[in-house]
Amino acid sequence: MDSIRIKGGKPLNGTIKISGAKNAALPLMVACLLTEETVTLSNLPHVADISTLINLLCQHGTNAHLNGESSKNGSSNGRAISLTASEITSTEAPYEIVRKMRAGALVLGPLLARMGEAKVSLPGGCAIGTRPMNLHLDALEAMGAKIEIDAGYMIAHAPNGLKGTDIRFDSVSVGATQNILMAACLANGVSVLDNAAREPEITDLVHLLQKMGARIEGEGTERLVVTGQKTLHGANHAVMPDRIETGTYAIAAAIAGGRIELTNTNADLINSVIEILEQSGTTIERTEDGLIASRDPNTPIEGVDVLTHPYPGYPTDMQAQIMALMCVSQGSAMITENIFENRFMHVPELLRLGANINVHGRSALVRGQAELIGAPVMATDLRASVSLVLAGLAAKGETVINRVYHLDRGYERLEEKLAACGADIIRTSGE
Ligand code: EPZ
């Protein structure tokens, strides 16, 4: 199993090209199941979750063609993929694939809408929480589907098609909004989705669906109105920039000190993160295709309280990273996780590096330390792993992060991008 070794304490200077967003690319790829024609996506990130989803889509009968590879220096425009689901040969999404990646469950709505049936494994819980599917299932039932749970599978039937209806999600869910949005595109009549998630990845999906001929109003708001169509057609679309990768590298500049320019992205996607970073003493300069994050290594990091919320609030996917920064602040910070019930798995590992953190229910009180000391640590999920990388950049001595496969699920060539800015970071295999 690969690990990453970092010798901390070096300021970072350079440019990082941000990849396409994993969390946008996954639902965009699933949308290919809604049409017999080809959907082509460019700016596709080269990360493990994308390969897992390609496997799943092929299992349903999709033809997938990947073009172009990411180049070592990040100068390529990402990969492109053409997905053609002219015939759905299987409506089953097996446990072996869906358990690896929850986004696999997004095929439920599209398969049901197009084929009138779907059998999709329940994704199960994961390190960050129980992550149920009730919002997805309740909405599909409201659209006329008959659903039973049997032997760990969601078995759904709608032989006469789904019918458009008014749906109000009890709480905000990115995945449920995406699943039902896709299903509604092929339903009979009008669906109104209230209390929909407003994450930019949803808007990116709306844009692709509109290019495919879907009629959707209300993009970017909590009310999406979808007028179902009999069929959708093929389309070309560029995956939006990864806002979580953007925020992560902005925090890298903040924690290590130095100046990193982030290109191929959009600062407006991370306004809530920028606000916190500026309060912490980091300078953010917005540019035409991204931003420059900088901090003089002699300027202290201020403690700032952070609460995670659905977009446009501070993202849960940036909670572990900001906690790493607060560990070396000169004050204290209360970090409250409002989205997932168990998303503090990075805390015990940060403690191993000398951090001072006390968790009280959904909040963690971080008392900043003058320094962290490198140590071997272990990652439990994607964002927890990257918070350990960030902490390692600031820590004295060597930090070894094990279980790097978590990182590979969502960060493209992380060690190369950081090394290009002067970080002392290498990947070692087989340990
Ligand atoms: C998406 O997960 C992201 N994944 C997550 O990113 C992200 O953390 C999350 O949204 C929140 O922003 C992808 O886009 C692939 P939710 P999703 O449904 O859609 C509860 C990362 O690190 N809920 O918005 O699964 C749920 O348990 C990953 O890249 C229900 O109760 O998240 C959670 O507490 C991790 N019932 C809350 O809603 C449901 O039916 C938000 O989950 C569905 C969700």
Side-chain angles (χ1 to χ4, degrees), residues 53-389:
L53 186 61
I54 293 173
N55 277 345
L56 180 61
L57 294 174
C58 290
Q59 140 100 25
H60 296 308
T62 307
N63 244 309
H65 288 286
L66 263 173
N67 305 305
E69 286 298 324
S70 315
S71 67
K72 284 241 166 197
N73 62 8
S75 62
S76 79
N77 289 320
R79 299 185 301 170
I81 192 167
S82 295
L83 298 160
T84 315
S86 46
E87 200 188 334
I88 303 286
T89 53
S90 161
T91 51
E92 181 169 337
Y95 176 67
E96 292 66 37
I97 301 182
V98 180
R99 77 176 165 84
K100 285 194 206 154
M101 191 190 57
R102 187 180 166 81
L106 289 179
V107 301
L108 179 64
L111 286 176
L112 187 57
R114 178 163 161 194
M115 305 300 292
E117 59 168 44
K119 180 178 175 187
V120 177
S121 170
L122 279 163
C126 69
I128 63 176
T130 46
R131 307 184 77 179
M133 287 291 292
N134 58 312
L135 299 172
H136 305 237
L137 298 181
D138 291 352
L140 290 172
E141 279 178 341
M143 296 173 84
K146 297 271 174 278
I147 304 178
E148 52 170 336
I149 306 293
D150 187 29
Y153 278 80
M154 302 175 280
I155 302 173
H157 288 98
N160 301 319
L162 293 170
K163 56 178 193 308
T165 188
D166 291 359
I167 291 157
R168 185 175 175 83
F169 295 108
D170 286 343
S171 59
V172 178
S173 162
V174 174
T177 303
Q178 291 164 336
N179 217 338
I180 304 312
L181 176 64
M182 288 190 276
C185 288
L186 290 184
N188 298 312
V190 177
S191 301
V192 180
L193 279 54
D194 268 314
N195 202 23
R198 287 185 283 161
E199 268 62 7
E201 292 75 15
I202 304 229
T203 305
D204 209 27
L205 177 61
V206 169
H207 289 160
L208 171 64
L209 293 169
Q210 287 170 334
K211 288 180 190 171
M212 292 168 69
R215 279 185 53 201
I216 305 168
E217 286 160 42
E219 65 189 69
T221 74
E222 60 181 38
R223 166 176 274 219
L224 296 170
V225 181
V226 188
T227 308
Q229 306 294 307
K230 286 224 164 351
T231 56
L232 297 184
H233 51 75
N236 295 332
H237 186 74
V239 179
M240 65 172 280
D242 195 320
R243 65 191 168 102
I244 306 303
E245 192 193 22
T246 306
T248 300
Y249 290 127
I251 293 184
I255 201 166
R259 181 182 189 274
I260 303 184
E261 176 161 11
L262 303 172
T263 61
N264 199 36
T265 183
N266 176 357
D268 287 344
L269 293 170
I270 57 159
N271 283 332
S272 59
V273 178
I274 288 177
E275 198 179 312
I276 300 291
L277 280 176
E278 287 180 334
Q279 288 173 35
S280 79
T282 309
T283 303
I284 304 286
E285 196 186 315
R286 292 166 189 261
T287 62
E288 223 162 71
D289 72 338
L291 60 100
I292 299 168
S294 58
R295 186 180 67 82
D296 178 335
N298 298 315
T299 308
I301 297 163
E302 302 291 336
V304 188
D305 291 347
V306 179
L307 287 86
T308 65
H309 284 296
Y311 192 85
Y314 187 93
T316 172
D317 290 347
M318 287 295 303
Q319 180 258 106
Q321 298 91 316
I322 202 74
M323 187 181 292
L325 180 66
M326 292 300 118
C327 287
V328 289
S329 74
Q330 65 165 13
S332 299
M334 182 70 90
I335 297 185
T336 304
E337 172 56 54
N338 286 313
I339 309 296
F340 291 106
E341 69 274 20
N342 190 30
R343 210 171 194 184
F344 284 139
M345 301 293 279
H346 39 285
V347 169
E349 302 303 309
L350 290 169
L351 295 181
R352 289 181 50 71
L353 301 175
N356 181 338
I357 308 168
N358 282 296
V359 175
H360 306 272
R362 282 185 172 265
S363 293
L365 176 61
V366 185
R367 292 188 175 90
Q369 302 297 296
E371 64 180 15
L372 299 176
I373 311 281
V377 286
M378 197 173 71
T380 44
D381 73 80
L382 172 58
R383 310 302 171 187
S385 321
V386 89
S387 77
L388 300 174
V389 171

